[in-house]
Each structure stands twice: as structure tokens, then as C-alpha cells.
Amino acid sequence: MEHSLFRYIVRHSLRHQIILLILTVASFPFLYIFLDLPKVILNKAIQGSDFPKTYFGFEFDQLEYLFALCAIFLLLVIVNQAFKYVINVYKGLLGERMLRRLRYDLFMRVLRFPLPHFRRTSAGETIPMITSEVEPLGGYIAEAIATPAYQGGTLLTILAFLFVQDPLMGLAAISLYPIQIYLIPKLQRKVNNLGKTRVRLMRKVSDRIGETITGIQEIRSNDTAAYELADFANRMNGVFWVRYEIYIRKFFIKFLNNFISQLGPFFFFTIGGYLVIKGQLSIGALVAVISAYKELYSPWKELLAYYQMKEDARIKYEQVVAQFEPAGMIDPDRLLSDPPKIEPFTGEIVLSGVSLADEGEIQLLEGVSLHLPLDAHTAVVGGAGSGKHELALILARLADPQSGRVTIGGQDLAGLPDAVVGRRIAFVGASTVFFNGALADNLLYGLKHRPVIARELDGEAKRLWERDLNEARRSGNCEWDINADWIDYDAVGGEGIEAVERRMIEALKIVRLDDDVFALGLRGRIDPEAEPERAARVLEGREKFHSALGAEGLGKLVEPFEVERWNDNASVAENLLFGAPRGDGEELEALVEHPFVEEVLTDGSLDADLVEAGRRIAATMIELFADLPPDHEFFEQYSFISSEDLPGYQTLLNRIEREGVGALDAQERRRLVGLALQLIPARHRLDVLDDRVRERILVARKRLMEHGPGDLKARIEFFDRTRYHARSSIQDNILFGRIVHGQAQARGKVGQKLAQVIDEAELRDVVMAAGLAFQVGSGGSRLSNAQRQKAAIARALLKRPDLLVLSEATSAVDTLEQVDLVERLREAMAGHCIVWSLQRPALARSFDRVVVMQGGRVAQTGTPDEIDQEGSAFRRLTSEG
């Protein structure tokens, strides 16, 4: 990366800068004619006497000549403003391309940072540099040559023509201000909205950069730098087009503003000239107005501002470059080179005199020499500071030794590209980062090295893709399509997404995560429009489930939804609306505020009943929970009201006691109705709704379903026994009702029967697919630590590595499950190499070989039987652990 900002500009934008310079120079003759034309109008049209005049075979009298020259003046206004508009938009385009290139270059450098650099540099320091701090640089790069050339040229042109006059361009005509005040704010609002969109997009970019920095270990070990670069380029593409539209609109506003301002001379020359000819206005007054109008712009001030911007940009660029050039950066060829064929590793791993020290020169490994067969499973054990974790990092090439050499099958590990290391070696550490998205996407992350199958595009989609691709080339971004199929099917050992799903489920079974994913799938959803076959199969499972409940006498465990019946195990809101909101994030209770729903409640006097029910619920909640601390678990389990809201409801009840319910305003009544709508009678057993109220709710339900307006029905998906309910989970679709509260072991029995029916109806693949679509959250935060560790091991298994390196990879898993997991992994990796830095040394007894580390050195190595001797380091470790 160039250390000089000017050299960076010349290297990447010289051709565009020359185009801008040509456009700028080309505008000067028109500017000069524009400045000279008023003199011609005054001297030859207004004060001239030799009329008629003949030009190009046309004869003009004085008024005709005046109007012709004024028309030329108006044309020059358009031409000059058009030049400014084109130059400004082109500068905006150039600035965005260079900003996109600069951010891409910096992001690629982040991928090349040595891992120790991330321990001393926080993400909060790096992210703003890529996102916000380089923002002014794009604007300056666009202005670097064009602005001094244009402003300087304009200043010289004005000085040449108006040697003794004030060089300012003029002031806007007061008579035109109302037009500008009315139009410009309207247009500016759209620019402001686009600006907000840009900020939101940049926040998402910032989040992704943060995830990348946190997950750099996974990127390196899985060779997904190309995928990350394609993803980043795609995100920057969205930002680019929003900003480009901002430039178009912003400079159109400027064009319009300037155009309106320049209409002043047109009116002055036409109307004023006419009045001068008629003797109603003096020539001096006209000249004074025109001279005052030309004080709009100040090129000298623009040049001063440019100088300040240049200095700020230079300093900022130098700071950014210095920050993004740490010692030990990964060579870009090693990061992105893609050999035509990658052969499996064979032979053995040989470490010869490997040493590693941290930045404080503390020796972590010292002279480690080992021979590890690639068809054996090796356990590495040791205490804290023994170097076992560092040895694992060295073998996964996530740390480079200061001295010594590591070879695999005779190949120097340090010289292999990431395309080889990331595909033939898998690494799983104690803490693994998952990226925000579906579980399946994270499991397949180790298979996304390069696009495998391109998208089939035609028509408008193809045109847009080619446009984006060309723009990526111009901006120096990669040309990989993030929306192509990136899955390496050869690596996973199957053709097509169905085979990949089977392999994922197999890997999940190996790590004992399949039951967790099944449970997640039961809570997941299916889009019946996108997956009609799977939705139809769930409906078949619904009928089999309810038939099985009836046949086995378990019907009392689930209360089904029936349009004519009240459901004691559903909330009052569900009973009233008999459905769920279609919109994501919309609460069922919020739909009750629809005018038609309020009308129905009022007509049936239900609003008063629900207010009273809400009042009684609030009183009960205050009586039960007022004396509990705010963090008490009962608030989450039983209370309708949070601890923060209790005082407000207490105040509301006190007011009702003093003034009566009739004194409440509409908002206060809604608060109480909202409490009543949350009530589940069978669960809460508060006895605030009698049979009369329930019957009236059913009557209201019927009216809402039959006579509700279209906008209300569009927001509710009603329950229907014959249809898949898109807003409900798979489990709720099969249940099509609510589990009965108060029945002994009802939930467990229903769960068992549900699982049995799912297997009999062959729906397990549907549920597992929904589980794989589970959104894991930022960093995998929606998964437990143990689930993340198991999923990380499953991800490693999916790419079928020759060498699987693990470092305390099951530390969050309970002891008995660790033993089972070790056995299952060893069975799955039979014939391939495992090197496992274990947290519990006793687990090493089942491995083929054991390496005991002490103080960064190899203390013992051999089979478990060979090193398990009285007084040995291995015996001491296993007896302690």
C-alpha cells in the first residue's frame, strides 16, 4: 500500500483525474463567454444603434437582437451548470470508487494481520478506521486535482475579464429565494433519508468487520478469506449504490439551486433591458444589480478550504497506513492462491527444533522435536503454561515458529498456501466464534473456499450483476459472487444440498448435537409458500398426532384450537383473534388497538369487562409481588407486570379507587386491557373471566373473522385445521392447540408422542432442516458454550480433514460426555490424524500416542502404556486430573 496519499491517488485514479481535468478545462471557454456576454448585451443590444443586424442570414431589430442574446445567455447558464453537475457527479463517483477500494484494501490487510496483533489491538480501534475515519479521504481524492484546477481556473478567468472588479460570482436574487426555500428542502429530505440508509448499512458493515476480527482464527484455519472478501465486497456494493444515489440527488439539488439563481440575470437582461430601452430604468441601476448578483461564489475561499482538506486527508491517510502495517503480515499470495489440485497429506508430521515466543520474549515452546504419524491419534497433555495449546496452534499453522521447521509429508508447512492448510487441516479451540446467521451456514463455513457453481442469471438480474461486477473491477474489489454456490461438495463427500444436509446431520450425531438441533427445529418455522411439500407433510403429521392422542386416551393432554370453542390453555388475545400476527415483531395484543377491534369490543361491552379483568389482575400482581426484589425469578415466571412497572400500576389502581374506572383515559384503559389479553386462564387461575365474558369473546371472534376489514385480516393469520400456520412453529403446527396446564407430566408425555409421530410420519428430516436454519445470533450467542463447541467440531468433521487439531475443544462439555465424545471422534477419524490438546489428561489413555509437555518442552512421548510409569510426568498429570 502506498505510503503517500498522492501516490495512491495517481496509482489508482490517474485516468479519472485526467478526465476530470479535461472536463474542468473545457468549461472555461464557456465561462469566459458567459462573463463576456453581459457586456455585449449592454453595449450592442441595449445601447447599440446600428440596427437591424444580420447574422447567418437572419435579420434582427434591436428587441429581437436583445432577446436572442438573452436566450444565448440562458443557454450558457444551462451549459455552465451542466458542466458543474457532470463534474461534481463524476467526482462523487470517483470518490466512492476510491473509498471502496481503500476500505477493501484495509479489510484485506485485516485478514493478513498476524494473530498476535489482535491481542494488542482491539476491534473498537480498527473498525472505525475502515468505516468512518477514512470517509473524508474518498471526498478528498475526488477533489485532489479537479478542485484546485477548477477553482483556480475560475479565479483566473474572472480576474482576466474583470481586472478591476470584485471577482466574487454574485449573490442570489432575493425575488427567487422563495422558490429555492420551497423546493430545496423537499428535495433535501430524500437525501437525508438516503443518508440514514447509508448509516444503517455502514453499521452492518461494522458488525461484520467486528465478527471477522473475532473469528479470524476460523477464517485462517478454514481458508475462507476469499469468501469473506466476497461478502465484504457485496456489502460495500450496497453502500456504494446508496452513496452514488446521494451524490446524484445532492448535486441535482445544487444544479437546481444554481440554475434558479442564474435565472436572475436572464430576467434582468430581458425585463431590465426592455425598461432601459423604454427609458424607464437607468443603465447604471441595471449594471449595479447585475454586478451585485455576480457575488455568489468565492473561488479563493474554496482554494483555502481545499488546502485545509488536503492537509487533513494527508495526515489521516498516513495514520491509517501506519496502523494497518503491523510486522509479520501474511503474504497475500499465501492467503488467496488457489492451487489447481490439492492432494491429501500422507506420511507423518515432523517438528524439528520448533521454538515460539510471545511479544514479551517469553518462551512458549523451546526446541520441540516430534514425529507424529498421520494415521494415528495423538493426545497432548500438560499443565498450565506447558505449551500444549501453543503446540496445537503451530500444527494448525495459526502461529508461526520463530525458529525450527514443521513438515507434513515432507512439505514445509510454512510454505503451503491457506488453500491447502485450510482444507486439509481443521482446528477447534476452546472458544469458537460463530457468525450471525443460520446454524447450517456456520456448519458449512469450512467448505466455502471459492465459488463452485455460478448463479444462472438472465434479463434484468444479469444486467445488474454485470453492472456490479464492472463496478467491483473499477474499484479494485474482488470479482467473486457472494450469492453463488460456495459449498465444496467434493470435500463434503456428496452431490447436492440434500447430501450435504445428510452429512451435517451425521456430523451432529457424532458430536451428540442432533437432539439439540431437533429441539431447535421443533421451535423453528417453515415458509409454506417457499416449501409447500414440507408444509404439507407437517399437516399430515398433525392429523396423525391427533389421531394417536385419541386412540391412546391422551386427548385430554392437548386442547385443540376450534373456531366455535373457547380454549382455556390459550391466552385471551388468542381466543379473541383466533390467530397470530403475520408481521415479524408485531404483538398479538397490539392488534386489539385496531379501530375495528375496538369497535367490536365496545359494541359488545367487552371493553369494560376486559378493563375490569385487567384491574383485578393488576391488584393481584401488586399484592403478590410488591415486596419481592426486582431480580426475583417469580417476575419472569408468573408476573404479568415487570418490577419497574409495578409502581405505575399501583398509582393507576389508587386513582381508580378514588375516582372510579370512568376517570381513566383511553391509554390507561388500553394498559389494563393489555393485562387481560395476556391471561391464560388454565395456567394463571386468577378467575377474572366468567362464562358470560367468554361467550361474548367468542361472539366478537366470529364478527372479527367474518366482517373484519381487509387491512385487519391482512395482519392476522387465523388458525385453520386444514392449513399450515406460517407464523407458528413446527411443534405448534402439529399440536394445533395448547398443552393442558395442570395435567401430571402432560408436557413430557406430549413430547414423547410428538417425537414418535414425527418419526412415524418421516418428518424428522423436516424438523432437522428447520433446526439447521436456526439463527445462532452474533458470535453464536444463542447457543450454549457446550453447543458451540460441539458444533465447531461438527464443522471440522464436515470438511473431512487429514489432520484434526483440537485444543481443549470440549472444555464446556460435562465429564461423562467428554469421554463419549472422544470415543466417537476417534471412531469417525479412523485412519486420519487427530492431535488433541486435552483439558483432562486421563482421557489420553485411550489415544494411540501421548505427548507430555512441560515448560514449553516435550517431557515424554510414546504410547500410553510406555509413558505411564511410576514417577513419570504423565502419571503425575493423570493422578492430579
Side-chain angles (χ1 to χ4, degrees), residues 614-626:
R615 185 197 67 78
R616 293 173 62 187
I617 291 171
T620 303
M621 294 299 105
I622 290 171
E623 181 181 352
L624 293 176
F625 299 105

Side-chain angles (χ1 to χ4, degrees), residues 282 340 480 712 775 781 855:
S282 69
W480 294 304
L712 176 62
Q775 299 296 307
S781 58

Side-chain angles (χ1 to χ4, degrees), residues 424-625:
R424 305 316 312 163
I425 299 176
F427 175 83
V428 184
S431 61
T432 300
V433 173
F434 276 60
F435 297 106
N436 199 353
L439 175 60
D441 291 334
N442 280 279
L443 291 174
L444 296 174
Y445 189 74
L447 302 171
K448 297 179 179 180
H449 314 296
R450 299 293 186 278
V452 176
I453 303 174
R455 286 187 293 167
E456 295 183 3
L457 300 172
D458 54 21
E460 181 67 9
K462 184 177 181 181
R463 187 192 69 78
L464 291 175
W465 162 241
E466 290 175 347
R467 180 202 68 173
D468 293 345
L469 183 62
N470 289 332
E471 195 55 55
R473 291 191 185 112
R474 294 189 185 104
S475 303
N477 285 204
C478 69
E479 299 176 20
W480 294 304
D481 181 6
I482 190 62
N483 295 309
D485 190 346
W486 285 70
I487 299 173
D488 187 348
Y489 293 101
D490 291 337
V492 80
E495 289 292 335
I497 194 63
E498 292 81 7
V500 170
E501 282 189 358
R502 286 195 298 270
R503 284 282 293 123
M504 280 194 286
I505 293 171
E506 289 172 8
L508 293 172
K509 288 180 178 178
I510 291 172
V511 298
R512 300 293 196 196
L513 195 60
D514 53 321
D515 287 341
D516 297 56
V517 174
F518 181 80
L520 294 175
L522 285 175
R523 299 196 297 270
R525 295 175 180 172
I526 292 175
D527 183 351
E529 294 184 2
E531 301 176 283
E533 293 183 5
R534 286 182 169 177
R537 291 171 60 191
V538 172
L539 288 179
E540 293 175 5
R542 173 190 294 175
E543 296 308 316
K544 291 182 179 179
F545 175 76
H546 283 277
S547 297
L549 287 182
E552 299 181 24
L554 300 176
K556 293 182 179 180
L557 299 181
V558 176
E559 185 174 8
F561 292 126
E562 296 181 24
V563 71
E564 301 292 341
R565 290 183 56 193
W566 174 270
N567 191 315
D568 256 347
N569 292 279
S571 70
V572 173
E574 287 176 312
N575 273 287
L576 174 64
L577 298 176
F578 200 65
R582 291 184 185 273
D584 287 330
E586 185 170 21
E587 296 294 334
L588 198 61
E589 291 79 9
L591 294 174
V592 180
E593 297 182 9
H594 188 279
F596 184 76
V597 180
E598 291 186 337
E599 177 187 329
V600 170
L601 294 179
T602 302
D603 290 347
S605 299
L606 270 172
D607 57 338
D609 292 325
L610 293 177
V611 167
E612 175 59 20
R615 185 197 67 78
R616 293 173 62 187
I617 291 171
T620 303
M621 294 299 105
I622 290 171
E623 181 181 352
L624 293 176
F625 299 105

